[in-house]
Amino acid sequence: MANETNNFAELISHCKEYGYIFQSSEIYDGLAAVYDYGQNGAQLKKNIRDYWWKSMTQMHDNIVGIDAAIFMHPTTWKASGHVDNFSDPMIDNKDSNKRYRVDHLIEGFAEEQLAIGNEQLSKDILVSMDELLAKDDYAGLKQLIEDNKIKCAISKTCNWTDVRQFNLMFSTEFGATASADDENSKVYLRPETAQGIFVNFLNVQKTGRMKIPFGIAQTGKAFRNEIVARQFIFRMREFEQMEMQFFIRPGTQMEWYNFWSAERKKWHESMGIPAEKLRFHDHVKLAHYADAAMDIEFEFPFGWKELEGIHSRTDFDLKQHQEYSKKKIQYFDNDIDAATNKPYGNYTPFVVETSVGLDRLFLTIISLAYAEEKWLKEDGTEDSRVVLKIPAKIAPTKLAILPLLKKDGLPEIAKELMDDCKSSFMCFYEEKDAIGKRYRRMDAIGTPFCVTIDHQTKEDNTVTIRYRDTMTQERIALSDVKKLIMEKIN
Ligand code: ATP
């Protein structure tokens, strides 16, 4: 079969060339770490989001979905701890004035060491970094950078400032009379969607008559003023999260934490991500709200990185909102506790959260799908193609309908098929160019099925269906096309 290679720089330009992802405001030279999704990208993103939404809210009868606003009362972020704690340790190079996230700087150095065969040093430095981060030992982190002579990529010097904390939230002014220096009118662009769920806990629980354990799911934009934003859509300043907060009885959190970690990994595999490209990574340093946390990591083209976070958030958030809002946020559990033979009664629920970045998942899917293939034809000459092998159930366009010629009644038959199929799934119609060229374009866009209408169709009502991944073709009845595609995409 075809000889495959996978190249990240090529993937980025492919995403642009085929309407998947554009740099934001590109005509003004772009805005760093902000991206726009084009006609195919927006549809793929929607399909991934819908798949997540359906598996959370439709496939679990105890999970419901909401859509909270991006703007929230500023006290939300004081209560959640983001005003005081949502920061990363940073270091500046005094010669280039370039700012780095300390963990990224050290990880980059460790990767370089690994690449040149210094495996032990690479491992040791990461272990030391984790220990220092866990202790918030900033002087120690600076020492580690200096001892290893880690240099700035721009100035190539080791002339570093001290390590400092830098808050990642964006803020803006609210209301017509607001001014930039008026602290009272300052609102934040949410850095995570989760808080919209916590502040609506009682609204949803009461109006939905939800019984613990139950979950609230949400997808939406989040904003972080990331310092080092790189690796394409992996780390953006404006991105989208898909989060689910699962409310549980105190004391059961480890059981649910293990359940959701396994469940989420299985879900990623159901999206076509091979199990060997996914792994769990336990956090050494826990966030201020968590009693257990792990990442589901994916092996991106640039290494193993976080795709999704699973966090046991205790009752921290609900308790904080109760304290800051002065409103009681509790649940009355009338199930009988076997130990006391009495109802569990009133308590603040604990929370296990699953939080995945939609853009990171998009990058996962597209980097797995991208392949440059070469093979020898029967006459001994070489042929090649670039193909996006996106799983059919989430591919932006499912079926391309291609009349072989622009005449002889073939377009009419093709358009009839298009009318029959387009309310059930996304179709694309094209009559320009030679058929081979059209197939290649559909491969590059990732359309899993092409149907060609030719003169034989007029005689026996059959069409040629071509499968993207194998490039094989077969003749099927025109009347079976819709049913066959429906089977393949469900
Ligand atoms: P990282 O360590 O990579 O900064 P994080 O631990 O801060 O991520 P969480 O706060 O747990 O991330 O957010 C949950 C998910 O949201 C992440 O697993 C990731 O998929 C996504 N995410 C977080 N920050 C970004 C970003 N800047 N750009 C794109 N996706 C992001």
Side-chain angles (χ1 to χ4, degrees), residues 86 101 104 192 224 226 233-237 239-241 243 283 289 295 306-309 311 353 355-360:
F86 193 56
R101 240 175 84 170
H104 290 169
E192 62 174 26
R224 296 183 186 179
E226 300 279 5
I233 56 168
F234 179 80
R235 188 172 301 286
M236 302 155 89
R237 297 204 165 98
F239 58 99
E240 196 165 334
Q241 288 185 316
E243 297 199 299
H283 284 203
Y289 51 75
D295 299 335
E306 171 176 348
L307 170 62
E308 172 155 7
H311 309 128
E353 143 185 287
S355 174
V356 60
L358 176 51
D359 312 86
R360 271 190 205 178

Side-chain angles (χ1 to χ4, degrees), residues 130-357:
D130 280 345
E131 283 168 3
L132 293 164
L133 281 172
K135 290 188 285 187
D136 287 331
D137 183 350
Y138 300 139
L141 284 163
K142 184 177 180 190
Q143 197 62 48
L144 187 69
I145 291 169
E146 286 178 344
D147 289 350
N148 286 280
K149 301 192 174 47
I150 301 180
K151 294 192 178 70
C152 164
I154 295 169
S155 67
K156 313 278 186 230
T157 69
C158 301
N159 193 8
W160 298 108
T161 62
D162 286 342
V163 173
R164 284 170 304 199
Q165 291 286 67
F166 184 88
N167 196 293
L168 300 181
M169 281 197 292
F170 283 104
S171 64
T172 187
E173 302 92 50
F174 208 63
T177 55
S179 72
D181 33 306
D182 178 2
E183 272 299 310
N184 294 330
S185 62
K186 186 169 172 181
V187 289
Y188 296 100
L189 271 70
R190 66 180 177 197
E192 62 174 26
T193 56
Q195 297 305 323
I197 290 180
F198 292 127
V199 300
N200 277 299
F201 167 75
L202 282 183
N203 284 337
V204 176
Q205 191 272 319
K206 294 211 156 98
T207 57
R209 295 149 56 99
M210 307 301 290
K211 271 187 71 115
I212 272 180
F214 73 91
I216 305 180
Q218 172 170 224
T219 71
K221 289 274 178 137
F223 303 83
R224 296 183 186 179
N225 198 1
E226 300 279 5
I227 293 306
V228 186
R230 50 184 178 163
Q231 289 153 337
F232 196 33
I233 56 168
F234 179 80
R235 188 172 301 286
M236 302 155 89
R237 297 204 165 98
E238 173 181 341
F239 58 99
E240 196 165 334
Q241 288 185 316
M242 305 193 289
E243 297 199 299
M244 193 277 296
Q245 266 67 39
F246 201 67
F247 297 92
I248 53 176
R249 209 171 271 156
T252 62
Q253 65 269 33
M254 284 323 289
E255 185 191 313
W256 286 112
Y257 175 72
N258 292 333
F259 171 84
W260 280 111
S261 319
E263 193 71 8
R264 293 301 302 147
K265 185 162 177 284
K266 261 193 277 165
W267 183 84
H268 289 292
E269 288 167 26
S270 80
M271 296 262 293
I273 305 174
E276 65 276 14
K277 289 253 179 198
L278 293 166
R279 70 177 187 194
F280 293 125
H281 170 78
D282 290 323
H283 284 203
V284 180
K285 181 177 184 205
L286 294 175
H288 57 276
Y289 51 75
D291 69 353
M294 68 157 82
D295 299 335
I296 297 179
E297 293 187 337
F298 170 71
E299 193 178 14
F300 286 95
F302 39 85
W304 287 96
K305 301 273 178 204
E306 171 176 348
L307 170 62
E308 172 155 7
I310 314 289
H311 309 128
S312 172
R313 286 181 86 124
T314 67
D315 54 2
F316 176 85
D317 301 87
L318 292 183
K319 279 218 165 121
Q320 287 291 102
H321 289 305
Q322 174 168 281
E323 189 185 325
Y324 278 73
S325 68
K326 313 256 182 303
K327 312 246 162 47
K328 192 170 159 201
I329 306 180
Q330 286 210 326
Y331 173 80
F332 184 77
D333 192 337
N334 50 18
D335 280 2
I336 301 296
D337 179 353
T340 61
N341 216 16
K342 290 191 184 129
Y344 284 96
N346 265 318
Y347 57 79
T348 308
F350 271 44
V351 172
V352 169
E353 143 185 287
T354 72
S355 174
V356 60

Side-chain angles (χ1 to χ4, degrees), residues 41-72:
Q43 187 64 45
L44 174 58
K45 197 173 165 199
K46 179 181 182 305
N47 293 350
I48 300 172
R49 190 194 297 112
D50 288 350
Y51 184 64
W52 182 90
W53 184 262
K54 182 174 175 187
S55 54
M56 281 294 174
T57 65
Q58 194 172 323
M59 304 306 285
H60 292 99
D61 52 14
N62 58 352
I63 301 180
V64 291
I66 66 163
D67 182 14
I70 287 172
F71 286 133
M72 299 183 71

